[in-house]
Amino acid sequence: MKRIELKMGSLLVAMALVMVMLGLAVPAEAQQGQGQFPIAVVDVNRVFRDSKPGQAIDKTLKDQGAKLEKDMKAKDDELKKVYDALIKEAQSGKATKEALEKKEKDLQARIQAFQTERAKAIDDMNASAEKALKPLQDKTEKAINELAKAKNFVIVLNNAGVVYAPDSIDITNDVIAAVNK
């Protein structure tokens, strides 16, 4: 006997679909749709990618990322030069053991500082991305809610978890248009 495991979210969606199919918990105005299924899907990723605000945020974040990458590469290249110089100095045999150990310790400290700076820059970049995306997320959620109410949808699903949905219930273009306003 096969055991079927459902995650709580999947179970809730399945229950909602059954309720809708049986006509339970569906507002009267939605049931009057003469056979229309009061469910819609939206591709939220496409809204973020194709909407004007999403494209502006994407460009800003890419520009910030490119600048950060350029800065980090320059610092990394500098550390590589210091390392190469230390290796050459050690191979030449002209430096004392103590001098080489001191330079190696200094290089290790610089490398550690660089790694810490890079990690902080990445964290800052992620925080900046979250902050930049928050208004778009709010606007997208508002647009979805307004469309759902206006068109009497009982459920609007993110199509990322939907195996199949006909194009007729996809409201992504409508959401993009609303977000672009």
Side-chain angles (χ1 to χ4, degrees), residues 26-36 38 148-154:
V26 178
E29 54 283 355
Q31 289 182 5
Q32 293 172 1
Q34 298 176 350
Q36 292 181 347
K149 288 175 186 171
K151 295 186 177 191
N152 296 318
F153 292 120
V154 175

Side-chain angles (χ1 to χ4, degrees), residues 2-131:
K2 281 188 172 180
R3 183 173 181 205
I4 299 174
E5 292 184 29
L6 291 175
K7 293 183 180 177
M8 185 55 111
S10 299
L11 183 59
L12 292 174
V13 169
M15 288 173 43
L17 287 173
V18 169
M19 290 174 67
V20 168
M21 291 170 62
L22 295 174
L24 303 173
V26 178
E29 54 283 355
Q31 289 182 5
Q32 293 172 1
Q34 298 176 350
Q36 292 181 347
F37 205 55
I39 292 181
V41 295
V42 64
D43 185 342
V44 176
N45 291 328
R46 197 173 118 220
V47 172
F48 281 27
R49 183 188 69 231
D50 294 351
S51 68
K52 290 176 185 174
Q55 290 173 351
I57 291 167
D58 185 55
K59 181 181 180 337
T60 300
L61 293 175
K62 281 182 179 176
D63 291 347
Q64 288 175 354
K67 182 184 180 312
L68 176 62
E69 186 177 339
K70 182 180 175 184
D71 292 347
M72 291 295 128
K73 177 149 179 32
K75 291 176 182 181
D76 185 54
D77 290 345
E78 178 60 30
L79 288 172
K80 286 179 183 176
K81 286 179 186 176
V82 171
Y83 173 78
D84 290 342
L86 180 61
I87 296 297
K88 284 182 183 179
E89 189 174 348
Q91 289 174 343
S92 74
K94 296 179 183 177
T96 65
K97 183 178 178 181
E98 293 80 22
L100 288 173
E101 286 175 354
K102 183 180 181 314
K103 288 182 179 184
E104 181 182 7
K105 196 173 190 178
D106 177 55
L107 178 60
Q108 287 175 348
R110 288 178 65 184
I111 290 171
Q112 181 64 40
F114 171 70
Q115 289 172 339
T116 301
E117 179 185 357
R118 183 177 59 200
K120 183 181 180 328
I122 290 169
D123 287 346
D124 290 348
M125 184 73 184
N126 288 335
S128 176
E130 285 182 32
K131 185 178 177 180

Side-chain angles (χ1 to χ4, degrees), residues 108-180:
Q108 287 175 348
R110 288 178 65 184
I111 290 171
Q112 181 64 40
F114 171 70
Q115 289 172 339
T116 301
E117 179 185 357
R118 183 177 59 200
K120 183 181 180 328
I122 290 169
D123 287 346
D124 290 348
M125 184 73 184
N126 288 335
S128 176
E130 285 182 32
K131 185 178 177 180
L133 286 170
K134 181 69 173 123
L136 178 57
Q137 289 170 331
D138 293 345
K139 194 171 187 179
T140 300
E141 184 177 327
K142 181 180 177 189
I144 291 169
N145 287 334
E146 288 174 357
L147 281 165
K149 288 175 186 171
K151 295 186 177 191
N152 296 318
F153 292 120
V154 175
I155 299 173
V156 177
L157 302 170
N158 185 348
N159 78 340
V162 175
V163 177
Y164 170 78
D167 291 340
S168 61
I169 67 168
D170 188 331
I171 62 169
T172 304
N173 291 333
D174 296 333
V175 174
I176 291 171
V179 168
N180 284 341

